Amino acid sequence: MKRPLRAIAAAGLLAAGSLVAVALGGTASADTQICEQFGSTVIQNRYVVQNNRWGTTAQQCINVTSTGFEITTQNGSNPTNGAPTAYPSVFFGCHYTNCSPGTNLPIQVSQISSATSSITYKYVSGASYNASYDIWLDPTPKKDGVNQMEIMIWLNRQGAIQPIGSPVGTTTLVGRTWEVWRGSNGSNNVISYVAPSLITSMNFSVLDFINDVKNRGAITSSWYLTSIQAGFEPWQGGAGLGVTSFSASVNGGGSTTPPTTPPPTTPPPGSGCAVKYTPNAWNNGFTADVTITNRGSSTINGWNLTYNLPAGQQVTNAWNATVTQSGSAVSARNVGFNGSIAPGGTANFGYQGTLSGAYSSPTSFSLNGVACSRA
């Protein structure tokens, strides 16, 4: 499943058929009804509640209280194998230039000493939706536009819906077991943690999920946490769904020195390397899965794989490596956890890119300046 960006309008304009419209940055002192497509308001002088109806032209309204919100009208209906109709949510941080009052986000992951949150949901039956807690990260302190990494925590899902990508295993975090999915929606990478049964409330460490994503090589400590959000993605129905309480706190005071990667060491004379390059291309884009094999007799400590991409290919995002591109020249450096390749061992990374014209794969690779064979 792929979906478009969750957009925030630049100004709050009264939509045709809206009951009430609330301008961006307003403040809710009593219950406030929002029907404007991208309308938002502030609660507790700390969090932003947004209607964020981006996947349908049908009306959606939410009732905002001092502690959360409830969907009162949901007229949209999308096929469950496509994108949801909306993401009504409450957030702390910055989302498409709309920042919550006094937020200290974006903040570099290496500087976070603690990040905690508490959430309580209200569910309904007879609808297709997920209850999703989103954590957004980017290599830059971004306050506008889409971030490169989205962490989704699915506390409940109803109907024939599934996360983006495919399952890659399970993990235990905050005392629970989660099914882990990984993929891309074409604009950003997504790692989803799906609860095996519904969760109505949770008090947890956001940093636990960030660290798990970092250990998977999807981000590094130099990335920035930009926002944390809790809400719903409805596909069909959803009136009565609500976030009844939400809190979030992110504290600095962590390490101010980002982790360093040891400089690459050139494989000793007579050693070798092999590269397996597995692409998947479509009309205007592609992904590539790359496996490096150390065929030498000594461990490689730190690696940099260099090669040239054919004309018309541009890398947009990567995982398990820091990939940079200048013209056609590509450099893929290890991240912290996969810098060592023992004799006979492998290291794997991948990336997504845009494509113009016919697809072809690179023809030659060098690891730390030494030519590799093709596996």
Side-chain angles (χ1 to χ4, degrees), residues 14-347:
L14 185 62
S18 293
L19 301 177
V20 179
V22 178
L24 294 178
T27 301
S29 55
D31 285 12
T32 302
Q33 183 93 336
I34 302 179
C35 297
E36 194 274 320
Q37 181 178 8
F38 298 118
S40 70
T41 190
V42 173
I43 62 173
Q44 302 177 34
N45 199 34
R46 180 172 175 82
Y47 309 116
V48 175
V49 178
Q50 59 180 356
N51 196 27
N52 201 9
R53 172 177 58 82
W54 58 266
T56 180
T57 58
Q59 187 182 66
Q60 173 180 278
C61 298
I62 60 175
N63 183 64
V64 183
T65 69
S66 61
T67 60
F69 69 91
E70 181 177 316
I71 302 174
T72 56
T73 304
Q74 175 49 263
N75 294 328
S77 180
N78 285 353
T80 55
N81 62 349
T85 62
Y87 184 56
S89 54
V90 53
F91 71 85
F92 175 76
C94 294
H95 185 80
Y96 284 80
T97 73
N98 192 12
C99 294
S100 57
T103 182
N104 58 342
L105 305 186
I107 184 173
Q108 201 164 36
V109 171
S110 64
Q111 297 178 352
I112 300 174
S113 60
S114 65
T116 57
S117 186
S118 178
I119 180 74
T120 304
Y121 285 97
K122 174 189 174 185
Y123 299 133
V124 298
S125 59
S128 293
Y129 64 89
N130 70 30
S132 175
Y133 191 106
D134 273 21
I135 305 167
W136 289 93
L137 301 112
D138 196 79
T140 65
K142 200 168 190 177
K143 296 183 180 180
D144 184 20
V146 67
N147 288 189
Q148 288 192 25
M149 172 53 62
E150 178 185 12
I151 303 172
M152 297 187 71
I153 307 172
W154 288 42
L155 287 86
N156 186 15
R157 62 168 165 174
Q158 298 295 319
I161 59 174
Q162 67 179 42
I164 289 169
S166 56
V168 295
T170 61
T171 190
T172 300
L173 293 171
V174 298
R176 300 177 184 270
T177 299
W178 308 83
E179 185 180 53
V180 184
W181 291 60
R182 188 164 183 168
S184 172
N185 62 19
S187 300
N188 56 269
N189 295 321
V190 186
I191 295 181
S192 302
Y193 298 83
V194 182
S197 59
L198 69 85
I199 299 171
T200 56
S201 64
M202 190 165 71
N203 190 342
F204 68 104
S205 169
V206 174
L207 197 56
D208 286 357
F209 289 90
I210 295 175
N211 285 334
D212 187 75
V213 169
K214 183 175 67 173
N215 291 337
R216 294 174 187 274
I219 67 167
T220 69
S221 294
S222 64
W223 282 46
Y224 291 81
L225 171 65
T226 63
S227 70
I228 48 182
Q229 311 173 346
F232 298 92
E233 290 184 321
W235 273 259
Q236 299 168 1
L241 293 170
V243 172
T244 58
S245 68
F246 173 82
S247 66
S249 178
V250 179
N251 298 309
S255 172
T256 58
T257 303
T260 58
T261 300
T265 56
T266 301
S271 68
C273 52
V275 173
K276 182 179 180 181
Y277 192 91
T278 306
N280 178 30
W282 55 96
N283 57 346
N284 60 357
F286 72 100
T287 60
D289 185 78
V290 186
T291 300
I292 303 168
T293 300
N294 180 5
R295 290 185 171 171
S297 58
S298 300
T299 298
I300 297 173
N301 293 309
W303 49 265
N304 179 26
L305 187 71
T306 56
Y307 51 96
N308 291 322
L309 282 179
Q313 298 182 22
Q314 180 66 48
V315 175
T316 56
N317 55 73
W319 50 93
N320 293 353
T322 301
V323 180
T324 58
Q325 182 176 355
S326 177
S328 63
V330 172
S331 170
R333 292 182 178 273
N334 67 277
V335 290
F337 74 92
N338 64 356
S340 294
I341 311 177
T346 62

